[in-house]
Amino acid sequence: MVGTILPGILARQVETSRLRAGVLERPAAPAAPGSPPAETVVFVHGNVSSSLFWQPVMLALPESLHAVAIDLRGFGDSEALPVDATRGVRDFSDDVASVVDELGLGAVHLVGWSMGGGVAMQLLIDRPELVASLTLQSTVSPYGFGGTRLDGSLLSDDGAGTGGGGANPDFVARLASDDRTEEAPTSPLAVYRSSYVAPGFTSEHEAIWVESMLTTATGVDNYPGDASGSANWPGFAPGGRGVLNTMAPTWFDTSGIVDVVPKPRVLWIHGAQDAIVGDASFFDLNQLGKAGVIPGWPGDDVAPPQPMVSQTRAVLARYAERGGMVTEVELEGCGHSPHLERPAEFLAALVTLIG
């Protein structure tokens, strides 16, 4: 990843019992003699990205904090190991936990973005002793991506219309071919500009973000995964392998965070103009059907769009009712990447949470 690492960030590989993981690090400033060890913030990226996206916020953190960003399997500089989607996102969350354990970090302030929010929630459920606080940025719903009602119940028993079959094949092909052009709306650069950030946002590091997207390993064992047939519209259901199937509602459910004891403080920060995670997301095939983009949509009674944001809000309200502390920050004019688009507000909310 030559040319993609910003000054002040260290890149290395960490060998754990599960995988060889790519890790970026911004060390804390040396502590005074007798001072407690620095607290660590661990960043988990989302789908079709890598730890590279976290560098600006890592550098902006107070020097008293230790920052670590971990590449998930099949992304960035980590091994492209197969992803068993029948475990939901546990292949990813177990990998993150193995890096935290290997580095001896103890309880960390965990930050998850998009799919990484789902990974962070799963890690909280399975290894609550590792989570000092939880920040969910533009997180996937606790009920996965697509195919559910507000209460998380399945629209169809097989999760039709979700998982690996929902990926745009031209986008996948362009990822596999390292396409850096702007020639098509399905190029990684075009997708970044139209979906990762709100319209009009510009970044001096845009080329790095595209390089990050291009590290995505493609295929049935990674992105997007496989699919199975379905008698329900639109004719496919989740498979058991690969990235998109990990978030299919047949395999994924992190609403169990409401039962974790003790409950760490939670920050949920998201953009009001998020094109990927929303109550009317155009990455949800039911929304595309409702809009007439995909023919044959059977209607709201059978295949309504998933109310993703409303689901997250409802689950976090239950978390708070059961004794947890939750802060929601919704940013107007912001898309899927608050840490890039509104860095000062993101940083202030995160530092306040950490205390």
Side-chain angles (χ1 to χ4, degrees), residues 15 24 44 71 84 153 157 174 205 215 272 295 300 341 353:
E15 196 81 38
L24 298 184
V44 182
D71 287 327
D84 179 0
S153 58
D157 289 344
R174 289 175 184 276
H205 301 305
T215 66
D300 270 321
E341 300 170 69
L353 180 77

Side-chain angles (χ1 to χ4, degrees), residues 113-114 136-139 192-201 268-278 309 329-342 346:
W113 174 30
S114 194
L136 303 173
Q137 177 184 247
S138 308
T139 186
Y192 161 79
R193 289 175 175 172
S194 65
S195 304
Y196 283 44
V197 294
F201 174 77
W268 175 33
I269 184 166
H270 57 108
Q273 277 66 56
D274 192 333
I276 298 175
V277 176
V309 171
V329 177
E330 183 176 65
L331 299 171
E332 289 296 331
C334 180
H336 192 59
S337 309
H339 71 295
L340 300 182
E341 300 170 69
R342 305 282 278 277
F346 176 87

Side-chain angles (χ1 to χ4, degrees), residues 319-335:
Y319 186 93
E321 288 166 3
R322 299 187 187 188
M325 189 192 86
V326 176
T327 300
E328 178 183 353
V329 177
E330 183 176 65
L331 299 171
E332 289 296 331
C334 180

Side-chain angles (χ1 to χ4, degrees), residues 18 44-45 47 72-73 83-97 114-126 140-142 144-145 242-248 251-254:
R18 292 183 54 81
V44 182
H45 65 82
N47 191 18
L72 302 176
R73 63 172 60 194
V83 177
D84 179 0
T86 66
R87 304 184 69 232
V89 292
R90 281 188 173 92
D91 271 0
F92 295 134
S93 59
D94 287 350
D95 289 347
V96 171
S114 194
M115 181 180 77
V119 174
M121 287 188 280
Q122 189 65 61
L123 195 150
L124 172 60
I125 292 169
D126 295 337
V140 64
S141 162
F145 201 93
V243 174
L244 291 187
N245 293 310
T246 68
M247 295 176 284
W251 305 125
F252 178 97
D253 184 348
T254 58

Side-chain angles (χ1 to χ4, degrees), residues 23 66 247 265 276 291 297 355:
V23 172
H66 176 209
M247 295 176 284
R265 292 165 294 164
I276 298 175
W297 181 62

Side-chain angles (χ1 to χ4, degrees), residues 253-315:
D253 184 348
T254 58
S255 62
I257 61 169
V258 302
D259 298 318
V260 171
V261 178
K263 290 178 166 60
R265 292 165 294 164
V266 174
L267 167 66
W268 175 33
I269 184 166
H270 57 108
Q273 277 66 56
D274 192 333
I276 298 175
V277 176
D279 284 357
S281 168
F282 270 77
F283 285 74
D284 179 352
L285 267 68
N286 288 354
Q287 179 63 34
L288 292 175
K290 184 172 185 174
V293 177
I294 300 176
W297 181 62
D300 270 321
D301 290 342
V302 176
Q306 180 191 10
M308 303 176 188
V309 171
S310 296
Q311 288 175 335
T312 299
R313 187 170 286 122
V315 169

Side-chain angles (χ1 to χ4, degrees), residues 28-295:
S35 299
E39 294 185 82
T40 300
V41 184
V42 170
F43 296 92
V44 182
H45 65 82
N47 191 18
V48 191
S49 63
S50 75
S51 60
L52 292 174
F53 270 93
W54 289 119
Q55 293 180 95
V57 71
M58 292 170 72
L59 291 169
L61 280 174
E63 293 183 354
S64 59
L65 294 171
H66 176 209
V68 173
I70 301 169
D71 287 327
L72 302 176
R73 63 172 60 194
F75 299 96
D77 209 21
S78 285
E79 288 185 274
L81 299 178
V83 177
D84 179 0
T86 66
R87 304 184 69 232
V89 292
R90 281 188 173 92
D91 271 0
F92 295 134
S93 59
D94 287 350
D95 289 347
V96 171
S98 75
V99 175
V100 172
D101 287 339
E102 183 66 28
L103 296 178
L105 300 177
V108 302
H109 299 282
L110 189 62
V111 182
W113 174 30
S114 194
M115 181 180 77
V119 174
M121 287 188 280
Q122 189 65 61
L123 195 150
L124 172 60
I125 292 169
D126 295 337
R127 295 288 305 276
E129 77 280 5
L130 293 184
V131 184
S133 73
L134 178 66
T135 296
L136 303 173
Q137 177 184 247
S138 308
T139 186
V140 64
S141 162
Y143 300 115
F145 201 93
T148 56
R149 302 176 183 88
L150 178 59
D151 64 359
S153 58
L154 291 170
L155 299 176
S156 61
D157 289 344
D158 61 358
T162 70
N168 185 305
D170 192 60
F171 176 59
V172 177
R174 289 175 184 276
L175 285 174
S177 66
D178 286 338
D179 181 5
R180 294 171 176 80
T181 70
E182 302 176 61
E183 66 182 38
T186 50
S187 72
L189 176 56
V191 170
Y192 161 79
R193 289 175 175 172
S194 65
S195 304
Y196 283 44
V197 294
F201 174 77
T202 59
S203 169
E204 63 180 309
H205 301 305
E206 187 177 69
I208 298 178
W209 311 152
V210 173
E211 290 301 317
S212 176
M213 296 171 71
L214 291 173
T215 66
T216 303
T218 56
V220 293
D221 281 323
N222 297 106
Y223 180 82
D226 61 353
S228 59
S230 175
N232 300 304
W233 185 88
F236 70 87
R241 301 156 65 189
V243 174
L244 291 187
N245 293 310
T246 68
M247 295 176 284
T250 48
W251 305 125
F252 178 97
D253 184 348
T254 58
S255 62
I257 61 169
V258 302
D259 298 318
V260 171
V261 178
K263 290 178 166 60
R265 292 165 294 164
V266 174
L267 167 66
W268 175 33
I269 184 166
H270 57 108
Q273 277 66 56
D274 192 333
I276 298 175
V277 176
D279 284 357
S281 168
F282 270 77
F283 285 74
D284 179 352
L285 267 68
N286 288 354
Q287 179 63 34
L288 292 175
K290 184 172 185 174
V293 177
I294 300 176

